[in-house]
DNA sequence: TAGTGGTCTAGACCACTCC
DNA sequence: GAGTGGTCTAGACCACTAA
């Protein structure tokens, strides 16, 4: 079995509509970093010429990428790769972290990085085979020295191997920019399931709580552009002061 | 101040692009129940003729309504009003209610219906003036006789006055279909904020828990087609067995 | 076979940005 | 003023549905 590479151009079926094939083509160019964020894509007229279609067809392709949050258009300026802002998208759920309303990114400390295999439950959630090679990260995120979240993260080894070559102390406070930079992997959406439990001794220690104190568990499967699972993550934090905000539909 | 009627045609600014004005026009016709769910809208060619635009412009208007889940298109058949399925959209968050994975709608019992005014906190969330006329509902939702959720609901009186004429015992188990039927109001999206607290004596009694037991609080602002707040709701349930699932982005 | 939506063209003019 | 995306036209042909 060949491991899927994020850089291999999508084979884009010829039977697909043209605008769809153009979308796929643009998407692989984006994944290959043909255009850097901040630089504009070729103009729509140019793209139309390059792909041998009319401008309306190119617009439809770009429309769908804009709808998915991959591109941004500005009238009179151009079309740009969207800098995913982790503040507003996946991150705003932790607004509770800031009492004054400002968004603060908690410091991150990797406690452990190991090569292991996918546990059955994780494999099911990620739609991969149980026992597949995996990278596991354990980390604690804190604000002003106070631990807020204890996280247990599983990544498929095939896609995330480059992470094994970096010192975990240099991972920084956010993982998704790291994934993008070193593994060419972009997280665009996620599924989350919240539940509550009493803190185990281990988690109580990590979070500096009493064992048995109420804890919120957030289980997240992060998805890429193609809606395929990239990361499985379980975060635990004190139920006290907990706030989780979400827009539906 | 004239109370906004859900049936008054939107004034649709002339400076707006045509496809946007057509979208607005279609939307008010839908709100006025011009077409019943299950019956097709006029064909795109017809709509184009009616509005004096080309077919591409009509398509753009319909596109956006389809994207918002208001319409459904079927090639070769036509375009239809989408029957909102409360099971899958706003309701799936309560999947935890079903142990076996099947979706079950809890029974609903209205404990109280009163005419009151919007408390300051609710008014802020709903973007209306504090002290505005309101209808308040208190209800308990249970499964197999066991209380699961205690709910406190505020509705703007202007839009929901028809509810005052119905016996609360005949409200049924779901409110959103009721809103649609009696008030011509369609809930299409929502904002939710989750938090945790210890059960008060009152809530403990309603939920048959010990006072002080951990409770999850879900605060929801439900929005209509035009993204304006329609309903404010606070639901409380035992943190035990709690599961909340959501897709992000 | 007739009618529907799905895709696509090859332009046009407008609104906006930047120089 | 030159160049960008935003809107719009007036058609065309294709894929699918239903009688």
């Amino acid at each position: 079995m060949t491991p899927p590479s994020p850089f291999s151009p999508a084979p884009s079926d010829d039977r697909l509509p043209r605008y769809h094939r153009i979308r796929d083509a643009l998407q692989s160019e984006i994944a290959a970093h043909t255009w850097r964020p901040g630089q504009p894509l070729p103009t729509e007229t140019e793209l139309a010429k390059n792909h041998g279609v009319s401008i309306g067809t190119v617009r439809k392709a770009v429309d769908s990428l804009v709808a998915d949050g991959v591109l941004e258009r500005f009238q009179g300026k151009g079309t740009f790769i969207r800098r995913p802002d982790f503040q507003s998208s996946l991150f705003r759920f932790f607004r509770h972290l800031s009492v004054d309303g400002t968004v603060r990114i908690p410091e991150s400390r990797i406690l452990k990085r190991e090569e292991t295999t996918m546990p059955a439950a994780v494999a099911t959630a990620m739609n991969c085979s149980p026992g597949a090679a995996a990278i596991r990260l354990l980390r604690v995120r804190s604000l002003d020295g106070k631990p807020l979240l204890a996280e247990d993260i599983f990544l498929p080894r095939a896609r995330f191997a480059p992470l094994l070559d970096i010192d975990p102390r240099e991972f920084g406070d956010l993982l998704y920019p790291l994934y993008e930079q070193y593994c060419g992997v972009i997280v665009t959406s996620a599924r989350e399931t919240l539940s509550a439990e009493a803190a185990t001794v281990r988690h109580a220690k990590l979070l500096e709580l009493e064992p048995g104190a109420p804890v919120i568990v957030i289980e997240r499967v992060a998805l890429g552009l193609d809606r395929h699972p990239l990361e499985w993550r379980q975060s635990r934090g004190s139920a006290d002061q907990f706030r989780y905000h979400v827009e539906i539909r």
Side-chain angles (χ1 to χ4, degrees), chain A:
Chain A
M1 207 167 94
T2 24
S5 155
F7 295 105
S8 67
S12 222
D13 196 326
D14 278 5
R15 293 164 303 182
L16 258 37
R18 292 191 186 212
Y19 76 89
H20 202 302
R21 270 142 52 196
I22 292 173
R23 187 208 141 106
D24 288 347
L26 291 174
Q27 202 162 293
S28 8
E29 293 210 70
I30 293 165
H33 296 130
T34 303
W35 308 292
R36 304 305 305 187
Q39 287 178 352
L41 263 61
T43 69
E44 304 189 331
T45 321
E46 234 169 308
L47 287 173
K49 211 169 293 172
N50 293 348
H51 289 89
V53 298
S54 95
I55 198 169
T57 305
V58 147
R59 277 192 69 78
K60 200 161 178 184
V62 173
D63 276 346
S64 89
L65 287 168
V66 170
D68 287 359
V70 179
L71 297 179
E72 273 179 312
R73 281 200 279 221
F74 300 96
Q75 182 173 154
K77 294 171 75 175
T79 303
F80 301 81
I81 310 285
R82 186 169 158 215
R83 254 263 132 267
D85 62 340
F86 301 94
Q87 255 68 8
S88 79
S89 63
L90 288 168
F91 229 87
R92 65 177 155 195
F93 314 126
F94 297 115
R95 282 207 279 203
H96 66 292
L97 299 180
S98 52
V99 187
D100 54 1
T102 61
V103 178
R104 297 176 59 191
I105 299 175
E107 309 113 42
S108 165
R109 190 160 55 92
I110 306 285
L111 302 181
K112 191 175 190 177
R113 175 190 60 188
E114 60 175 356
E115 292 192 61
T116 177
T117 57
M118 292 287 180
V122 176
T124 304
M126 292 197 65
N127 198 23
C128 68
S129 44
I135 301 171
R136 183 184 192 178
L137 302 174
L138 294 178
R139 70 169 180 169
V140 169
R141 312 178 77 176
S142 21
L143 214 47
D144 301 326
K146 277 187 206 121
L148 280 165
L149 291 172
E151 297 190 320
D152 194 354
I153 298 167
F154 283 87
L155 303 165
R157 196 191 180 291
R159 274 175 184 260
F160 289 89
L163 292 188
L164 295 169
D165 301 328
I166 318 167
D167 186 335
R169 281 169 299 187
E170 312 208 332
F171 271 16
D173 291 333
L174 294 175
L175 288 180
Y176 293 165
L178 197 79
Y179 296 167
E180 191 182 339
Q181 193 180 346
Y182 288 96
C183 312
V185 148
I186 304 177
V187 173
T188 57
S189 62
R191 293 193 287 259
E192 298 201 327
T193 302
L194 280 73
S195 57
E197 67 180 25
T200 63
V201 174
R202 203 180 108 242
H203 292 132
K205 208 170 195 175
L206 288 173
L207 294 168
E208 295 177 10
L209 300 171
E210 294 301 312
V215 160
I216 299 289
V217 185
I218 304 174
E219 189 178 308
R220 176 193 296 170
V221 175
L223 310 171
L225 278 176
D226 52 3
R227 289 280 181 182
H228 275 38
L230 293 172
E231 176 208 58
W232 182 94
R233 164 191 301 216
Q234 207 173 44
S235 308
R236 286 181 170 79
S238 169
D240 214 50
Q241 303 281 331
F242 171 82
R243 282 186 84 72
Y244 180 98
H245 183 79
V246 74
E247 312 234 337
I248 301 167
R249 267 253 96 177

PDB file of all heavy atoms in Angstrom, chain A residues 227-246:
ATOM      1  N   ARG A 227     -11.549  16.589   3.520  1.00  0.00           N
ATOM      2  CA  ARG A 227     -12.463  16.038   4.502  1.00  0.00           C
ATOM      3  C   ARG A 227     -11.984  14.708   5.079  1.00  0.00           C
ATOM      4  O   ARG A 227     -12.783  13.964   5.647  1.00  0.00           O
ATOM      5  CB  ARG A 227     -13.862  15.833   3.894  1.00  0.00           C
ATOM      6  CG  ARG A 227     -14.609  17.125   3.636  1.00  0.00           C
ATOM      7  CD  ARG A 227     -15.197  17.617   4.907  1.00  0.00           C
ATOM      8  NE  ARG A 227     -15.951  18.859   4.744  1.00  0.00           N
ATOM      9  CZ  ARG A 227     -16.517  19.486   5.764  1.00  0.00           C
ATOM     10  NH1 ARG A 227     -16.418  19.006   6.978  1.00  0.00           N
ATOM     11  NH2 ARG A 227     -17.172  20.602   5.584  1.00  0.00           N
ATOM     12  N   HIS A 228     -10.706  14.421   4.907  1.00  0.00           N
ATOM     13  CA  HIS A 228     -10.188  13.190   5.485  1.00  0.00           C
ATOM     14  C   HIS A 228      -9.587  13.489   6.858  1.00  0.00           C
ATOM     15  O   HIS A 228      -8.974  14.531   7.047  1.00  0.00           O
ATOM     16  CB  HIS A 228      -9.129  12.563   4.578  1.00  0.00           C
ATOM     17  CG  HIS A 228      -9.732  11.696   3.524  1.00  0.00           C
ATOM     18  ND1 HIS A 228     -10.909  12.018   2.894  1.00  0.00           N
ATOM     19  CD2 HIS A 228      -9.331  10.499   2.997  1.00  0.00           C
ATOM     20  CE1 HIS A 228     -11.198  11.071   2.022  1.00  0.00           C
ATOM     21  NE2 HIS A 228     -10.256  10.140   2.053  1.00  0.00           N
ATOM     22  N   PRO A 229      -9.763  12.571   7.812  1.00  0.00           N
ATOM     23  CA  PRO A 229      -9.255  12.791   9.162  1.00  0.00           C
ATOM     24  C   PRO A 229      -7.741  12.927   9.171  1.00  0.00           C
ATOM     25  O   PRO A 229      -7.039  12.158   8.524  1.00  0.00           O
ATOM     26  CB  PRO A 229      -9.676  11.522   9.915  1.00  0.00           C
ATOM     27  CG  PRO A 229     -10.821  10.973   9.146  1.00  0.00           C
ATOM     28  CD  PRO A 229     -10.533  11.315   7.715  1.00  0.00           C
ATOM     29  N   LEU A 230      -7.236  13.904   9.899  1.00  0.00           N
ATOM     30  CA  LEU A 230      -5.799  14.126   9.998  1.00  0.00           C
ATOM     31  C   LEU A 230      -5.286  13.893  11.416  1.00  0.00           C
ATOM     32  O   LEU A 230      -4.188  13.392  11.606  1.00  0.00           O
ATOM     33  CB  LEU A 230      -5.470  15.570   9.590  1.00  0.00           C
ATOM     34  CG  LEU A 230      -5.692  15.936   8.137  1.00  0.00           C
ATOM     35  CD1 LEU A 230      -5.502  17.425   7.951  1.00  0.00           C
ATOM     36  CD2 LEU A 230      -4.734  15.162   7.256  1.00  0.00           C
ATOM     37  N   GLU A 231      -6.082  14.298  12.383  1.00  0.00           N
ATOM     38  CA  GLU A 231      -5.621  14.263  13.772  1.00  0.00           C
ATOM     39  C   GLU A 231      -6.764  13.871  14.686  1.00  0.00           C
ATOM     40  O   GLU A 231      -7.896  14.284  14.481  1.00  0.00           O
ATOM     41  CB  GLU A 231      -5.112  15.660  14.172  1.00  0.00           C
ATOM     42  CG  GLU A 231      -4.697  15.783  15.624  1.00  0.00           C
ATOM     43  CD  GLU A 231      -4.855  17.205  16.173  1.00  0.00           C
ATOM     44  OE1 GLU A 231      -5.980  17.750  16.144  1.00  0.00           O
ATOM     45  OE2 GLU A 231      -3.845  17.773  16.616  1.00  0.00           O
ATOM     46  N   TRP A 232      -6.422  13.074  15.688  1.00  0.00           N
ATOM     47  CA  TRP A 232      -7.385  12.770  16.745  1.00  0.00           C
ATOM     48  C   TRP A 232      -6.853  13.364  18.036  1.00  0.00           C
ATOM     49  O   TRP A 232      -5.656  13.260  18.319  1.00  0.00           O
ATOM     50  CB  TRP A 232      -7.565  11.261  16.884  1.00  0.00           C
ATOM     51  CG  TRP A 232      -8.576  10.832  17.917  1.00  0.00           C
ATOM     52  CD1 TRP A 232      -9.889  10.544  17.696  1.00  0.00           C
ATOM     53  CD2 TRP A 232      -8.353  10.612  19.316  1.00  0.00           C
ATOM     54  NE1 TRP A 232     -10.499  10.172  18.871  1.00  0.00           N
ATOM     55  CE2 TRP A 232      -9.582  10.208  19.879  1.00  0.00           C
ATOM     56  CE3 TRP A 232      -7.240  10.732  20.147  1.00  0.00           C
ATOM     57  CZ2 TRP A 232      -9.726   9.914  21.233  1.00  0.00           C
ATOM     58  CZ3 TRP A 232      -7.379  10.444  21.506  1.00  0.00           C
ATOM     59  CH2 TRP A 232      -8.613  10.032  22.037  1.00  0.00           C
ATOM     60  N   ARG A 233      -7.708  13.993  18.776  1.00  0.00           N
ATOM     61  CA  ARG A 233      -7.241  14.705  19.961  1.00  0.00           C
ATOM     62  C   ARG A 233      -8.292  14.672  21.063  1.00  0.00           C
ATOM     63  O   ARG A 233      -9.476  14.845  20.799  1.00  0.00           O
ATOM     64  CB  ARG A 233      -6.938  16.151  19.566  1.00  0.00           C
ATOM     65  CG  ARG A 233      -6.807  17.144  20.662  1.00  0.00           C
ATOM     66  CD  ARG A 233      -6.778  18.562  20.133  1.00  0.00           C
ATOM     67  NE  ARG A 233      -5.696  18.844  19.203  1.00  0.00           N
ATOM     68  CZ  ARG A 233      -5.042  20.010  19.139  1.00  0.00           C
ATOM     69  NH1 ARG A 233      -5.354  20.975  19.970  1.00  0.00           N
ATOM     70  NH2 ARG A 233      -4.114  20.204  18.243  1.00  0.00           N
ATOM     71  N   GLN A 234      -7.827  14.450  22.264  1.00  0.00           N
ATOM     72  CA  GLN A 234      -8.730  14.490  23.402  1.00  0.00           C
ATOM     73  C   GLN A 234      -8.184  15.519  24.393  1.00  0.00           C
ATOM     74  O   GLN A 234      -7.041  15.401  24.839  1.00  0.00           O
ATOM     75  CB  GLN A 234      -8.780  13.112  24.055  1.00  0.00           C
ATOM     76  CG  GLN A 234     -10.061  12.812  24.779  1.00  0.00           C
ATOM     77  CD  GLN A 234     -10.108  11.369  25.263  1.00  0.00           C
ATOM     78  OE1 GLN A 234      -9.116  10.866  25.789  1.00  0.00           O
ATOM     79  NE2 GLN A 234     -11.243  10.719  25.095  1.00  0.00           N
ATOM     80  N   SER A 235      -9.008  16.518  24.706  1.00  0.00           N
ATOM     81  CA  SER A 235      -8.566  17.573  25.623  1.00  0.00           C
ATOM     82  C   SER A 235      -9.412  17.532  26.883  1.00  0.00           C
ATOM     83  O   SER A 235     -10.624  17.373  26.803  1.00  0.00           O
ATOM     84  CB  SER A 235      -8.723  18.945  24.970  1.00  0.00           C
ATOM     85  OG  SER A 235      -8.111  18.976  23.708  1.00  0.00           O
ATOM     86  N   ARG A 236      -8.754  17.715  28.003  1.00  0.00           N
ATOM     87  CA  ARG A 236      -9.490  17.740  29.261  1.00  0.00           C
ATOM     88  C   ARG A 236      -9.203  19.026  30.014  1.00  0.00           C
ATOM     89  O   ARG A 236      -8.051  19.469  30.071  1.00  0.00           O
ATOM     90  CB  ARG A 236      -9.087  16.561  30.147  1.00  0.00           C
ATOM     91  CG  ARG A 236      -9.634  15.251  29.681  1.00  0.00           C
ATOM     92  CD  ARG A 236      -9.217  14.125  30.616  1.00  0.00           C
ATOM     93  NE  ARG A 236      -9.944  12.904  30.302  1.00  0.00           N
ATOM     94  CZ  ARG A 236      -9.636  12.092  29.300  1.00  0.00           C
ATOM     95  NH1 ARG A 236      -8.614  12.361  28.519  1.00  0.00           N
ATOM     96  NH2 ARG A 236     -10.353  11.005  29.064  1.00  0.00           N
ATOM     97  N   GLY A 237     -10.257  19.606  30.553  1.00  0.00           N
ATOM     98  CA  GLY A 237     -10.080  20.814  31.339  1.00  0.00           C
ATOM     99  C   GLY A 237     -11.102  20.862  32.460  1.00  0.00           C
ATOM    100  O   GLY A 237     -12.146  20.201  32.381  1.00  0.00           O
ATOM    101  N   SER A 238     -10.819  21.634  33.466  1.00  0.00           N
ATOM    102  CA  SER A 238     -11.748  21.751  34.588  1.00  0.00           C
ATOM    103  C   SER A 238     -13.107  22.256  34.107  1.00  0.00           C
ATOM    104  O   SER A 238     -13.189  23.168  33.278  1.00  0.00           O
ATOM    105  CB  SER A 238     -11.181  22.716  35.616  1.00  0.00           C
ATOM    106  OG  SER A 238     -12.180  23.015  36.575  1.00  0.00           O
ATOM    107  N   ALA A 239     -14.168  21.661  34.619  1.00  0.00           N
ATOM    108  CA  ALA A 239     -15.520  22.085  34.233  1.00  0.00           C
ATOM    109  C   ALA A 239     -15.809  23.484  34.778  1.00  0.00           C
ATOM    110  O   ALA A 239     -16.635  24.214  34.245  1.00  0.00           O
ATOM    111  CB  ALA A 239     -16.553  21.090  34.741  1.00  0.00           C
ATOM    112  N   ASP A 240     -15.130  23.805  35.810  1.00  0.00           N
ATOM    113  CA  ASP A 240     -15.230  25.124  36.398  1.00  0.00           C
ATOM    114  C   ASP A 240     -14.762  26.158  35.385  1.00  0.00           C
ATOM    115  O   ASP A 240     -13.727  25.977  34.749  1.00  0.00           O
ATOM    116  CB  ASP A 240     -14.293  25.150  37.622  1.00  0.00           C
ATOM    117  CG  ASP A 240     -14.857  26.018  38.705  1.00  0.00           C
ATOM    118  OD1 ASP A 240     -16.032  25.819  39.023  1.00  0.00           O
ATOM    119  OD2 ASP A 240     -14.113  26.880  39.204  1.00  0.00           O
ATOM    120  N   GLN A 241     -15.488  27.252  35.260  1.00  0.00           N
ATOM    121  CA  GLN A 241     -15.054  28.333  34.367  1.00  0.00           C
ATOM    122  C   GLN A 241     -15.106  27.947  32.894  1.00  0.00           C
ATOM    123  O   GLN A 241     -14.705  28.711  32.034  1.00  0.00           O
ATOM    124  CB  GLN A 241     -13.612  28.772  34.675  1.00  0.00           C
ATOM    125  CG  GLN A 241     -13.384  29.212  36.094  1.00  0.00           C
ATOM    126  CD  GLN A 241     -13.868  30.625  36.318  1.00  0.00           C
ATOM    127  OE1 GLN A 241     -13.865  31.437  35.393  1.00  0.00           O
ATOM    128  NE2 GLN A 241     -14.325  30.915  37.505  1.00  0.00           N
ATOM    129  N   PHE A 242     -15.570  26.709  32.618  1.00  0.00           N
ATOM    130  CA  PHE A 242     -15.568  26.235  31.240  1.00  0.00           C
ATOM    131  C   PHE A 242     -16.619  26.954  30.400  1.00  0.00           C
ATOM    132  O   PHE A 242     -17.754  27.128  30.821  1.00  0.00           O
ATOM    133  CB  PHE A 242     -15.844  24.735  31.225  1.00  0.00           C
ATOM    134  CG  PHE A 242     -16.076  24.176  29.852  1.00  0.00           C
ATOM    135  CD1 PHE A 242     -15.012  23.855  29.039  1.00  0.00           C
ATOM    136  CD2 PHE A 242     -17.369  23.980  29.376  1.00  0.00           C
ATOM    137  CE1 PHE A 242     -15.212  23.350  27.765  1.00  0.00           C
ATOM    138  CE2 PHE A 242     -17.580  23.473  28.104  1.00  0.00           C
ATOM    139  CZ  PHE A 242     -16.499  23.150  27.313  1.00  0.00           C
ATOM    140  N   ARG A 243     -16.205  27.395  29.206  1.00  0.00           N
ATOM    141  CA  ARG A 243     -17.160  27.944  28.245  1.00  0.00           C
ATOM    142  C   ARG A 243     -16.796  27.470  26.848  1.00  0.00           C
ATOM    143  O   ARG A 243     -15.632  27.507  26.453  1.00  0.00           O
ATOM    144  CB  ARG A 243     -17.171  29.471  28.292  1.00  0.00           C
ATOM    145  CG  ARG A 243     -17.937  30.019  29.467  1.00  0.00           C
ATOM    146  CD  ARG A 243     -18.048  31.517  29.407  1.00  0.00           C
ATOM    147  NE  ARG A 243     -19.165  31.955  28.582  1.00  0.00           N
ATOM    148  CZ  ARG A 243     -20.434  31.844  28.949  1.00  0.00           C
ATOM    149  NH1 ARG A 243     -20.747  31.296  30.086  1.00  0.00           N
ATOM    150  NH2 ARG A 243     -21.396  32.270  28.173  1.00  0.00           N
ATOM    151  N   TYR A 244     -17.809  27.038  26.114  1.00  0.00           N
ATOM    152  CA  TYR A 244     -17.585  26.509  24.774  1.00  0.00           C
ATOM    153  C   TYR A 244     -18.641  27.137  23.872  1.00  0.00           C
ATOM    154  O   TYR A 244     -19.836  27.003  24.132  1.00  0.00           O
ATOM    155  CB  TYR A 244     -17.747  24.986  24.806  1.00  0.00           C
ATOM    156  CG  TYR A 244     -17.545  24.282  23.486  1.00  0.00           C
ATOM    157  CD1 TYR A 244     -16.328  23.701  23.183  1.00  0.00           C
ATOM    158  CD2 TYR A 244     -18.567  24.177  22.554  1.00  0.00           C
ATOM    159  CE1 TYR A 244     -16.125  23.027  21.985  1.00  0.00           C
ATOM    160  CE2 TYR A 244     -18.379  23.517  21.350  1.00  0.00           C
ATOM    161  CZ  TYR A 244     -17.161  22.938  21.078  1.00  0.00           C
ATOM    162  OH  TYR A 244     -16.974  22.277  19.890  1.00  0.00           O
ATOM    163  N   HIS A 245     -18.187  27.830  22.860  1.00  0.00           N
ATOM    164  CA  HIS A 245     -19.139  28.535  22.007  1.00  0.00           C
ATOM    165  C   HIS A 245     -19.095  27.993  20.586  1.00  0.00           C
ATOM    166  O   HIS A 245     -18.027  27.699  20.064  1.00  0.00           O
ATOM    167  CB  HIS A 245     -18.833  30.028  21.979  1.00  0.00           C
ATOM    168  CG  HIS A 245     -19.817  30.803  21.173  1.00  0.00           C
ATOM    169  ND1 HIS A 245     -21.050  31.141  21.660  1.00  0.00           N
ATOM    170  CD2 HIS A 245     -19.772  31.253  19.914  1.00  0.00           C
ATOM    171  CE1 HIS A 245     -21.716  31.798  20.718  1.00  0.00           C
ATOM    172  NE2 HIS A 245     -20.955  31.883  19.654  1.00  0.00           N
ATOM    173  N   VAL A 246     -20.255  27.864  19.961  1.00  0.00           N
ATOM    174  CA  VAL A 246     -20.274  27.294  18.615  1.00  0.00           C
ATOM    175  C   VAL A 246     -21.457  27.832  17.828  1.00  0.00           C
ATOM    176  O   VAL A 246     -22.492  28.173  18.398  1.00  0.00           O
ATOM    177  CB  VAL A 246     -20.318  25.743  18.717  1.00  0.00           C
ATOM    178  CG1 VAL A 246     -21.679  25.260  19.132  1.00  0.00           C
ATOM    179  CG2 VAL A 246     -19.872  25.100  17.427  1.00  0.00           C
TER     180      VAL A 246
END
